[in-house]
Amino acid sequence: MGEVIDSILGLILGAILMYWVYSFFGKKKSKEITEQQSTVILNKIRSVCKLVSVEGDFAEIYHYENTKDSFMSLFKSKKKALIVIKAKAHIGYDLNKLELKADNDKRKIILSHFPQPEVLSIEPDLQFYDIKNGIFNSFSPTDLTKLNQEAKDHIKQKIPESGLMETARKEALQAVFVVEKIVETIGWKLDYSALEISNREKQFIEE
């Protein structure tokens, strides 16, 4: 009789031990998969990197003039040109500046900070008119490179008064929506409750 009881107790203890071992490795595997998912989704969001939300076209007339002294400042040589700048400016968000962290237990990504809009790129197209070279001062390839940069700087100064930044801020909800869709691709949820978004705006995102 005692041997039977010992056998039954042995089976019970063995079953408990097997269940414990299975549970331990099962939870560990599940945890590893969850952590891997969170790493994948965070990397996926960052891989989007820069998101253009607003595009603006500019057309400006730029007067360029340069005077150069020659022969110990005895002569002054002037070159000038009328330049029509047509440029396309892209305003958006650098998603590398998002502050994100993963809650593996609740399977959600917490978005605690969203960056301000910024100028992502300016693509100028310069057309030269009324070009006049001086005797000792003429346009060179270096001048064209310099003028291209000056054109970018000129357009960049015009952007704040164009209203593009304000429009981009209003489009920030669309950027949050893009991030949310990326998170949902692996069955997680985006928690953006830390952001200052009105109920009406939240409803817009949910729709």
Side-chain angles (χ1 to χ4, degrees):
M1 185 70 177
E3 293 180 358
V4 174
I5 293 174
D6 290 341
S7 298
I8 293 173
L9 288 175
L11 288 173
I12 293 173
L13 290 174
I16 293 173
L17 180 62
M18 289 297 295
Y19 176 77
W20 181 82
V21 171
Y22 177 79
S23 298
F24 174 77
F25 285 104
K27 288 180 180 178
K28 185 177 181 181
K29 185 176 180 181
S30 176
K31 184 179 180 181
E32 289 176 352
I33 292 174
T34 302
E35 289 180 349
Q36 185 179 19
Q37 280 186 324
S38 64
T39 302
V40 168
I41 195 67
L42 290 175
N43 289 336
K44 195 171 183 179
I45 291 171
R46 292 191 177 97
S47 69
V48 176
C49 196
K50 295 183 179 180
L51 179 67
V52 176
S53 62
V54 179
E55 183 179 275
D57 293 314
F58 291 84
E60 296 283 333
I61 297 176
Y62 186 64
H63 295 271
Y64 176 81
E65 187 174 297
N66 175 268
T67 302
K68 181 180 179 181
D69 294 335
S70 302
F71 300 104
M72 299 178 64
S73 301
L74 294 176
F75 298 97
K76 293 182 181 296
S77 184
K78 183 186 295 185
K79 60 184 175 185
K80 60 181 181 178
L82 181 66
I83 307 170
V84 175
I85 304 171
K86 293 182 179 180
K88 192 177 293 292
H90 297 115
I91 314 298
Y93 301 88
D94 186 348
L95 298 187
N96 281 319
K97 296 179 181 179
L98 289 175
E99 291 184 7
L100 297 165
K101 64 179 180 179
D103 186 335
N104 294 323
D105 295 332
K106 296 181 179 178
R107 294 175 62 83
K108 67 179 180 180
I109 300 296
I110 301 170
L111 174 59
S112 57
H113 171 73
F114 198 84
Q116 291 295 315
E118 58 185 83
V119 179
L120 298 180
S121 67
I122 297 176
E123 301 171 3
D125 178 23
L126 276 59
Q127 297 177 0
F128 292 81
Y129 298 92
D130 194 24
I131 299 175
K132 293 182 180 179
N133 290 309
I135 298 176
F136 304 106
N137 189 13
S138 59
F139 284 96
S140 67
T142 303
D143 290 325
L144 299 180
T145 301
K146 182 181 177 181
L147 283 170
N148 195 64
Q149 183 58 50
E150 287 184 8
K152 285 185 177 181
D153 294 338
H154 180 71
I155 295 299
K156 197 169 185 177
Q157 293 173 3
K158 296 289 183 179
I159 288 176
E161 62 190 55
S162 69
L164 288 176
M165 286 297 187
E166 187 60 31
T167 302
R169 289 188 183 93
K170 293 178 181 178
E171 294 290 331
L173 290 174
Q174 290 290 350
V176 173
F177 179 74
V178 169
V179 174
E180 185 176 39
K181 289 302 179 185
I182 294 174
V183 171
E184 289 176 352
T185 58
I186 62 167
W188 284 48
K189 289 187 178 181
L190 178 69
D191 180 357
Y192 49 86
S193 58
L195 304 181
E196 294 182 1
I197 302 177
S198 67
N199 291 330
R200 183 179 179 183
E201 290 171 330
K202 287 181 181 178
Q203 184 179 2
F204 173 77
I205 293 178
E206 291 171 358
E207 292 176 353

